[in-house]
Amino acid sequence: MQQGEDPSPRTRARASASAATRELTAEQRVDALAALVDDALRLLARSALTLDEGCRIAARAWWLARPVSPGAANRLNATLHRLSKTTHPTEVPMSTNAEQVLDVRSEPPARRHELIFAAYHALGPGKGFVLVNDHDPKPLWYQFEAEHAGAYSWDYLEQGPEVWRVRIGRPAA
């Protein structure tokens, strides 16, 4: 390896493995695991074999890292956003009636998912809201799949190129 060259994922994995002999905190372990998952997902993205599955893995890793290591979770969230830019959402028409609208376009990107999950957790059974975003929120869909599989609805109402609107709901009891 040349001086100044970024080490390969395999080199970083070996370095992480050799670090296993010393004591690591839970957060350090999650950070190291997130780095390995991040490297694996980047390789998967280059292979174009099953990008959807890569996004699902990234979302599960994000979900596992989020309570223990916010930095690792943010890194995985960024990887998920990069990966999902090459997937294509499936449009499902849906009427919105007079539902709450959550427009996150003016919010800093690092805060958006936090606000969206808070809005979802505040929903009663059978209720929903319309998310308005400046990019396809597909990474968020993968995170909902990881954290709330089968316990939410997701319906694209508008799909860019400048504005995306998605109805997110909680199924009736």
Side-chain angles (χ1 to χ4, degrees):
M1 182 170 50
Q2 301 289 330
Q3 186 173 1
E5 188 177 329
D6 187 34
S8 71
R10 188 171 290 160
T11 302
R12 285 190 296 240
R14 278 195 298 263
S16 294
S18 66
T21 58
R22 58 177 194 218
E23 284 296 312
L24 298 175
T25 66
E27 186 172 353
Q28 289 170 323
R29 289 177 185 274
V30 172
D31 285 344
L33 179 60
L36 289 173
V37 169
D38 188 52
D39 288 342
L41 292 169
R42 288 171 191 265
L43 290 172
L44 178 65
R46 284 189 218 137
S47 73
L49 294 175
T50 56
L51 194 54
D52 182 66
E53 190 57 34
C55 289
R56 290 176 188 274
I57 292 168
R60 286 285 293 166
W62 164 85
W63 176 72
L64 290 168
R66 190 170 63 149
V68 179
S69 178
N74 285 339
R75 186 169 55 248
L76 290 163
N77 187 37
T79 298
L80 179 56
H81 276 78
R82 282 190 300 277
L83 289 174
S84 68
K85 285 183 180 178
T86 59
T87 63
H88 303 287
T90 304
E91 186 170 352
V92 179
M94 177 92 177
S95 65
T96 62
N97 298 334
E99 293 181 310
Q100 173 188 358
V101 173
L102 177 59
D103 187 340
V104 295
R105 293 176 291 179
S106 64
E107 293 293 332
R111 183 157 153 68
R112 292 179 182 187
H113 289 210
E114 176 187 331
L115 292 171
I116 296 163
F117 277 108
Y120 171 77
H121 289 128
L123 291 174
K127 301 294 182 184
F129 64 93
V130 174
L131 170 65
V132 180
N133 205 357
D134 56 8
H135 66 276
D136 186 357
K138 188 74 172 187
L140 182 70
W141 179 84
Y142 285 108
Q143 291 172 334
F144 266 93
E145 277 293 297
E147 192 166 323
H148 301 289
Y152 73 98
S153 61
W154 180 280
D155 301 299
Y156 279 95
L157 305 173
E158 184 178 346
Q159 294 180 288
E162 295 180 22
V163 175
W164 276 259
R165 292 180 343 112
V166 178
R167 183 194 181 277
I168 299 172
R170 189 180 289 269

